[in-house]
Every structure is written in C-alpha cells, then in structure tokens.
Amino acid sequence: MKETSLDRDLQNRHTVSDNNIIRLNKYLAMCGLGSRRRVEQLVADGRVKVDGKIAPGPWITVNDRSVVEVDERPIVPLKRIYVVMNKPRGCVCAVTDARYRTVLDLLPKKLWEYRPFPVGRLDKDSSGLLILTNDGDFANDLIHPRNNISKTYQVVLNRPIAAKDVVKWQKGIWLDDKLVRPKIVKAIDERRCEVEVYEGLKREVRRMAEALGYKVVELKRTKIGNLKLVSLKEGAFLTFSREELLQMVHSGGVI
C-alpha cells in the first residue's frame, strides 16, 4: 500500500486554538466520540465536564485552554486524516461488518486509532475512488447536493445499450418518487458507458440502469469532482492534507 510522507508524520492529536472557539458538541465529535447526536446525549446524561463543572448543554463553547472530561477522563480532539483509496470489489463501505471485509481492513492498524469512516456509498460489488476521513464537516460538505460535487462512473452493462436509452437516461429516471437526472450519460462502446451524477442515492446508477431494462455487471467510480483515478492500484491508498484534497476535488488532480 502506498502512503505519502504526510502519513508517516501523523500525530495522534491536534488542538483548538483560542481564536477557534467552537461549540462543545463539535469538540466532542472531533474527539472521535461519535455523531453530534450521540455526543449531545453524553452531555444530557451529565457525563461531560468542562473546567471541572458538568456541562449545562452542548451549546457552550470551548477553546484550547478548556479542560474537557468525559466520565472523569480528559479528552482532546483526534488529528484529522484524509485518505483516498481505490476500493476493490468484494469489500463493504463500513467501519465494521460481521460478514464481509471492510474498507478499513485495507488500512494499516496505525490509522484505525484515528477512527476514519468512508464518505458516501460504494457498494460491495463496485470499485474505484473512495475517500475516508474522521472529519465529519468535511464529509458532509463533500456529499451534500448544495456543493455540486459530482461522481463519475464507468458502467459495463449486460447487453449493448440502445441510443434511445442513452437519451432516456440523460433526461432522467424516476427513483423513490424523484426524477434523478444525471449530469452526463455517454456511451463509450456497445456495453460500456460513463455516467456522472450528483445525488448519491443508494445504488443510484444500478437502479437507473435497471429501470431501463439493463443489468450492471461492472461499476467503477473514476472521479470525485475533478479528482480522477488513473494509476492507483486496487486496494492501495494515499493520504493528503485537507487543503490538498479539496484542491484536487475542486480544481483537478490525478492519482
């Protein structure tokens, strides 16, 4: 597995400066204690103290000088990590799974302590570009429709696709009572096409193909925004800083 020098220099923790005052619920989430909802429950249960006093609510603010404790143990935020992987077929986009190998199993154990999670969906039988991070705000920005970050897929169908069906696909397919209109549908050859979408619905590309009477036999994500998968081997990964990854997603990059 390939790693950048940044990965070798990772430190376990980072701090919140005096000038970066944040709400307690965000701080707790940055410490890897779970979602905003879960950490707010910790506060409601009286398990969180700030500077020796039980926190009155998740809305209070903290900074680098604050001493935050959960169950009488001091906590500090996890350092943020940003991983780009070429996911192989056969593993699931989950943190844990009782039946299948997960994408986290492809990472070295030294990265597990940062508690990364996959951003968005890529089902077990699909492959290609996948981002993992422990930065919830970054993940939300990446997948939220308002930011117009598209995902591009190479799709292999079970039979040749008719030109009229390419046109129908481009005009949009009804899924879950919603008209889902891809940004681009382009035939590459008889059975292979490129599909670029924004929504990120569950099994979106496969379901659109099925609605037209086709079955997807191979599905590979080749782009996230303007970040393009070219040479990174299946199962391999690279780490980046937040700024590096955002630059590639928005302005272009090749891995």
Side-chain angles (χ1 to χ4, degrees):
M1 296 181 184
K2 297 181 180 179
E3 303 174 45
T4 65
S5 59
L6 177 66
D7 180 67
R8 294 190 292 271
D9 295 335
L10 282 174
Q11 298 176 354
N12 288 354
R13 308 287 173 174
H14 75 105
T15 58
V16 179
S17 70
D18 291 345
N19 295 326
N20 189 21
I21 297 172
I22 62 173
R23 286 168 59 105
L24 178 60
N25 58 349
K26 181 175 181 179
Y27 182 92
L28 294 172
M30 290 170 63
C31 293
L33 296 177
S35 65
R36 296 282 182 93
R37 179 178 296 180
R38 182 177 185 277
V39 299
E40 286 175 1
Q41 188 60 51
L42 292 176
V43 177
D45 292 342
R47 297 168 60 185
V48 181
K49 288 184 178 181
V50 177
D51 296 330
K53 298 179 180 179
I54 294 177
W59 39 265
I60 68 170
T61 57
V62 297
N63 59 34
D64 195 40
R65 294 175 298 175
S66 304
V67 178
V68 181
E69 299 172 277
V70 175
D71 296 335
E72 307 297 333
R73 298 178 62 182
I75 58 169
V76 290
L78 293 167
K79 183 177 178 67
R80 292 292 174 248
I81 64 168
Y82 306 88
V83 178
V84 181
M85 173 186 292
N86 183 357
K87 174 194 172 298
R89 297 174 67 178
C91 62
V92 295
C93 285
V95 175
T96 60
D97 191 276
R99 297 179 59 193
Y100 301 107
R101 183 176 60 158
T102 74
V103 290
L104 261 65
D105 292 325
L106 302 177
L107 299 178
K109 290 186 177 180
K110 66 180 179 180
L111 291 184
W112 292 5
E113 65 185 272
Y114 300 103
R115 302 181 185 179
F117 54 85
V119 179
R121 300 181 176 95
L122 199 56
D123 64 45
K124 181 174 72 71
D125 296 321
S126 300
S127 63
L129 271 182
L130 178 69
I131 292 174
L132 299 98
T133 185
N134 56 0
D135 185 339
D137 291 336
F138 175 86
N140 289 335
D141 286 344
L142 203 63
I143 63 178
H144 200 287
R146 70 170 178 265
N147 293 320
N148 292 324
I149 298 175
S150 65
K151 283 79 177 176
T152 304
Y153 300 85
Q154 281 199 7
V155 185
V156 179
L157 302 171
N158 63 325
R159 59 187 177 88
I161 186 167
K164 63 181 179 62
D165 288 332
V166 174
V167 174
K168 287 181 181 178
W169 200 338
Q170 182 69 70
K171 288 182 177 180
I173 304 293
W174 285 93
L175 297 177
D176 302 329
D177 299 321
K178 176 183 178 181
L179 182 63
V180 179
R181 184 177 288 113
K183 180 180 179 181
I184 294 173
V185 179
K186 179 173 63 177
I188 299 174
D189 56 37
E190 281 191 342
R191 294 174 52 219
R192 191 183 305 269
C193 55
E194 182 177 273
V195 181
E196 185 175 356
V197 296
Y198 285 116
E199 280 81 0
L201 302 175
K202 186 175 182 180
R203 300 184 69 252
E204 178 179 3
V205 175
R206 293 181 185 274
R207 291 165 63 200
M208 286 193 288
E210 289 167 2
L212 292 169
Y214 299 88
K215 181 179 179 181
V216 173
V217 295
E218 288 184 29
L219 183 67
K220 182 176 184 178
R221 183 189 287 159
T222 56
K223 289 179 69 178
I224 297 176
N226 291 306
L227 172 60
K228 187 175 183 180
L229 174 63
V230 174
S231 59
L232 187 65
K233 294 181 179 179
E234 281 199 355
F237 69 92
L238 296 168
T239 60
F240 298 94
S241 69
R242 189 179 196 275
E243 292 72 23
E244 287 171 334
L245 187 49
L246 281 175
Q247 175 72 20
M248 291 190 295
V249 168
H250 289 294
S251 301
V254 174
I255 61 170

